[in-house]
Structure formats: structure tokens, C-alpha cells
Amino acid sequence: MRLEFSEEDEVFRSEVARWMRDNLTGEFAVLKHRGGPGDEEAYPELRKAWERRLAEGGWTCVGWPQTWGGRGLSVAHQVIFHEEYARAGGPGRMGHIGEGLIGPTLIAYGSEEQKQRFLPGILKGTEYWAQGYSEPGAGSDLANVRTRAELDPASGKWVINGQKVWTSLAHESQWIFVVARCERDSVGPKGLVFLLVPLDQPGVEIRPIRQISGGCEFNEVFFDNALTDAGNIVGAPGEGWKIAMALLGFERGMSTLGQQMHFAHELSLICQLARDNGAACNPALRERIARAWCGLRVMRYNALRMLSGTEDGGLSREALIYKYYWSNWHRDLGKLAMDVLGDAGNLLSEEHDDRQRLQQLFLFTRADTIYAGTNEIQLNIIAERGLDMPREPRGSMK
Ligand SMILES: Cc1cc2nc3c(=O)[nH]c(=O)nc-3n(C[C@H](O)[C@H](O)[C@H](O)COP(=O)(O)OP(=O)(O)OC[C@H]3O[C@@H](n4cnc5c(N)ncnc54)[C@H](O)[C@@H]3O)c2cc1C
């Protein structure tokens, strides 16, 4: 397990830190620590401009191969980049679905034309993507999707009908990747197709869903004879499940340690508040703060263990527990924040101050144990893949 970074790594670390210091300033200064989970609606246009600034500096898609415009960074350097980005208060990345999910999927499975067409927009921060997986009735059981796609021989286009739900940032995106059923009467993972669909067209309607935290970062997306070119299929008809699962494999990875820097910042806000309002003198709260700190250290060492020896960017077996651990830890941190706030936690603030930030933390972290695989699904994965328990019966996964 790698616990230390080399001298050369540290030189790279200073380079990233310097770039962030020089650039996250002026008009971008308001973006510091903004736009993360639960705060996705903050300054969308300015955050897109920030993506373009990152691109100019060569700091988007740092793990992509150089052939496709990335920096081809080693795992250690990617980790350092994400750590320093977060340490400097770098804003939530508008382009993360493109850069982290569909980009690597296209690099691995896309056609030459698709790579030429779509990768530059992600790299330059000019085109944004949404993920069209979940539907009413197909969340954990994703293989139950009902959205249909048919190739119309006359027009040579795919015609899509159905509904997606909880689609993050669809209202800020130009494209969506959609898992749909292309073989009539097929069930479960068979007969699916993976399509790239433009969002700005008459056949697509995007309706925002307001969340308990006040924002609407996600949406319902309706397809009513929506169209996409025949060439916008990744893999072959019937291979949608394979591509969809491969994409999820890119979901966790190098940004993990960066995420922990955000957590550390939130914990530091809670500590500061506890010192200021006297909550630090309450033994029960002190203990929970100390436990939270221990949890953060556990996550750091587990992440370093997870990333050790994964130069291909793939994740090791240790990764199985990671999502379950961080999401529950973070949800508990939200509760701790409210208890440290005390009565002040019940007051609404117009300002985006620390109090509002901690209230949002409490409200949004309820979602952490749902997206990217719910708690129960994570426990199933740990039991089946980590502990060799018998597979539980699958509903539609025949
Ligand atoms: C903030 C946020 C952003 C999201 N963004 C996107 C997005 O951009 N694109 C997208 O496609 N989706 C997105 N999602 C949807 C997310 O992927 C789903 O919410 C998630 O997969 C769970 O599906 P579901 O909501 O349908 O719940 P269900 O699958 O219906 O689960 C309901 C409950 O049943 C439990 N359960 C289900 N199956 C089992 C089982 N086999 N064993 C034990 N318990 C089980 C679950 O754990 C849960 O407690 C987002 C969700 C959130 C909260």
C-alpha cells in the first residue's frame, strides 16, 4: 500500500496548487467551495466558463490518454490533481458526467467517428452530458428499463419513446446517453441498446424536480418520438447492458481523494462552528466530531489501498466497501452538523453562509445512500462479490 508521494509527485502537486491559486481568482473567486453535491445550481454559466478555463490550462480530462487530448496522468498524479483541486476550493465540476463517465466509455467502446465527434466538446468544456439510466420502476433494478428505441429504416434514425427520471443536470446539458429497449418482448438485461441522444429537440421534454434542499439539480426527461442518428449507438443493438455496466465501472475512481478533501473542509466548518458556539464543550458532540475525524482517516487509508497497484485506473476488491462507507459517514456528518448548529439550524438564511451550507449538507446527504447504488444494493454487492454469498434472486434479471 502506497502511503507516501515521491519528490517528483510533490513538484507536480505544487504545480497544480499554483495553477489553482493563480486562476481561481477574480471573477471565479465566488466559485470557491461552490457547486458540489446539493449545490449544483450555483452559478452554472460561470462554472461552465471555469470549465473552459480549466481546459485552456490542460486540466480537464487529466486521466484520458494523450491521443484523445488528455494528459495521460499516472494514478498518483491524478490523485494529486483531484486533492489539490479540492483543497483550493475548486467548484463542483459541471463536466463530470462527460469527463468521468461517457468520455472513458467512448474511448473504450466508441467508434472512431464518435470519438472524433464527442471527445473534443468534453475536453474543451463546451458540451455537457446527462445520464439517462433510471426510470420509474427501473432504479436499482436497472435492467427493467421500459424506454423503447426503434431504428426507422426510412429515416435511418433511432426513434425513442419513454421516460427517464432523476436525471442530474439534464437542463444544463446538450446530450444524454440513454439505455433503452430495442428488442420487443425482451426482458432484463437482454435486448437493450445504448444511445447518444441530443437533448435540444422537439421530442424531448425536461421537467425539473425540486428537492428538499430547495434546488432542482435533477429532472424527469420525457422522450416522445425523440430522434437520434443511426450512428449514435455505442456497441451493437442488444449490447446496451454491457456498455451500461462498463460505464458504471468508471463511476468511482481517482476523484475519490478529492471528494475527501471536500469532506475535510465540511468537517473543519463544523469544528469551527462548535468552537464558536460552545458546542465543543458538549462531551457527546466532541466525541462525535472526533469519530468523524477518525472516519475520514479510515477513508483516506482505504482509498490509498484501493488505488495502490491500479495503474490502469480500474479498482481493486477493497473498493467494494468504499461507497457504503463514505455515504453513511457523510450522512452522519450532516446530522452532526445540525446538532452542532443547535437551534440556529432551524433558521433559514438568505445568504450562502456557513449555516446554510451545513443545512444543505444535512438535507442533501440523505441522497448519498441512494445514488450510485443504494445502501441495500451496496450490501448485496459486498455479500455476493466480496464474501461469496449466494446470489439473491433477481426480479427482472432472468
Ligand atoms: C441525487 C441523485 C442524483 C441522481 N442522478 C441520476 C442521474 O443523473 N441519472 C440516472 O439515471 N439516475 C440518477 N439517480 C437515480 C439513482 O440511480 C436511483 O435513485 C437509484 O439507483 C435507486 O433507484 P430508485 O430510486 O428507483 O429506488 P429503488 O430501486 O426503487 O429502491 C427503493 C428501496 O428499495 C431497496 N431495494 C431495491 N432493490 C433491492 C434489493 N434487491 N435488495 C434490497 N433492497 C432493495 C433500495 O435499497 C431502496 O431502499 C439519482 C439519484 C439521486 C438521489
Side-chain angles (χ1 to χ4, degrees):
M1 175 174 159
R2 187 173 173 173
L3 292 177
E4 302 286 332
F5 291 95
S6 70
E7 221 168 278
E8 185 249 332
D9 291 340
E10 294 306 331
V11 171
F12 177 71
R13 187 183 289 285
S14 318
E15 186 194 338
V16 180
R18 196 174 329 110
W19 191 89
M20 288 298 291
R21 212 171 32 246
D22 293 347
N23 287 273
L24 193 53
T25 172
E27 59 170 332
F28 296 121
V30 287
L31 295 182
K32 275 193 188 166
H33 298 292
R34 297 301 308 270
D39 188 34
E40 305 256 9
E41 283 192 306
Y43 304 103
E45 288 314 315
L46 191 57
R47 276 165 57 218
K48 286 181 181 174
W50 168 248
E51 292 283 326
R52 295 193 292 277
R53 171 67 68 89
L54 278 174
E56 282 159 24
W59 295 114
T60 54
C61 310
V62 291
W64 288 14
Q66 289 175 341
T67 343
W68 293 109
R71 281 193 180 225
L73 291 187
S74 66
V75 168
H77 281 197
Q78 287 181 63
V79 164
I80 290 170
F81 168 73
H82 289 295
E83 280 195 333
E84 291 310 310
Y85 183 89
R87 198 196 307 273
R93 297 285 313 277
M94 290 292 283
H96 70 96
I97 297 177
E99 174 170 328
L101 296 182
I102 192 65
T105 306
L106 290 177
I107 290 170
Y109 298 96
S111 66
E112 202 55 26
E113 294 77 44
Q114 287 167 351
K115 290 180 203 175
Q116 303 276 4
R117 163 64 187 86
F118 294 114
L119 297 181
I122 298 173
L123 200 64
K124 291 183 197 149
T126 51
E127 268 184 344
Y128 294 89
W129 286 82
Q131 177 178 19
Y133 276 25
S134 305
E135 299 181 5
S140 305
D141 189 8
L142 177 62
N144 201 31
V145 291
R146 297 222 163 96
T147 293
R148 281 171 294 113
E150 282 177 329
L151 189 59
D152 173 21
S155 64
K157 289 193 183 264
W158 287 96
V159 184
I160 303 136
N161 282 287
Q163 184 200 342
K164 297 292 173 182
V165 70
W166 320 125
T167 321
S168 298
L169 296 175
H171 56 298
E172 293 291 348
S173 305
Q174 287 83 25
W175 287 85
I176 183 168
F177 47 91
V178 172
V179 181
R181 202 158 285 287
C182 62
E183 288 171 25
R184 264 179 202 279
D185 303 326
S186 63
V187 288
K190 296 192 183 118
L192 299 176
V193 66
F194 190 102
L195 296 173
L196 313 174
V197 182
L199 281 165
D200 186 12
Q201 59 165 308
V204 174
E205 188 189 346
I206 300 171
R207 290 190 204 153
I209 303 172
R210 187 154 297 280
Q211 289 162 236
I212 192 173
S213 49
C216 349
E217 67 95 21
F218 54 31
N219 305 270
E220 296 178 287
V221 180
F222 294 88
F223 301 92
D224 181 8
N225 289 322
L227 301 174
T228 197
D229 290 342
N232 286 337
I233 176 175
V234 185
E239 284 188 346
W241 185 254
K242 182 181 97 178
I243 307 294
M245 290 302 105
L247 180 138
L248 291 183
F250 296 113
E251 194 158 28
R252 294 166 293 268
M254 303 310 141
S255 56
T256 300
L257 286 166
Q259 179 196 42
Q260 289 178 21
M261 288 287 168
H262 287 296
F263 294 170
H265 177 69
E266 290 164 349
L267 182 56
S268 73
L269 290 181
I270 294 172
C271 289
Q272 186 59 50
L273 178 71
R275 278 192 291 266
D276 291 350
N277 74 1
C281 299
N282 175 325
L285 290 176
R286 286 165 74 96
E287 186 186 311
R288 282 167 63 195
I289 290 172
R291 275 181 201 272
W293 185 83
C294 295
L296 201 51
R297 300 310 291 171
V298 168
M299 272 188 275
R300 178 163 177 80
Y301 291 124
N302 189 51
L304 288 172
R305 190 173 63 146
M306 218 163 92
L307 295 169
S308 294
T310 58
E311 263 316 317
D312 61 352
L315 292 183
S316 55
R317 201 162 167 268
E318 288 78 17
L320 291 180
I321 56 170
Y322 192 69
K323 163 70 194 354
Y324 184 76
Y325 193 89
W326 78 252
S327 57
N328 287 281
W329 178 90
H330 202 214
R331 195 175 62 175
D332 288 348
L333 190 74
K335 283 192 235 159
L336 175 60
M338 288 303 274
D339 290 338
V340 169
L341 276 167
D343 289 343
N346 296 322
L347 299 175
L348 286 179
S349 164
E350 287 291 307
E351 305 270 307
H352 185 83
D353 54 15
D354 287 347
R355 183 173 66 201
Q356 198 204 51
R357 194 183 160 81
L358 293 176
Q359 287 167 334
Q360 276 185 345
L361 172 73
F362 169 68
L363 293 173
F364 191 80
T365 50
R366 318 308 292 171
D368 284 342
T369 53
I370 299 175
Y371 66 83
T374 66
N375 259 355
E376 290 74 17
I377 295 302
Q378 295 301 327
L379 290 173
N380 280 350
I381 293 172
I382 294 168
E384 293 176 10
R385 290 193 216 153
L387 303 173
D388 283 334
M389 296 287 141
R391 268 167 71 92
E392 71 153 10
R394 299 295 199 266
S396 58
M397 302 273 290
K398 290 181 187 114

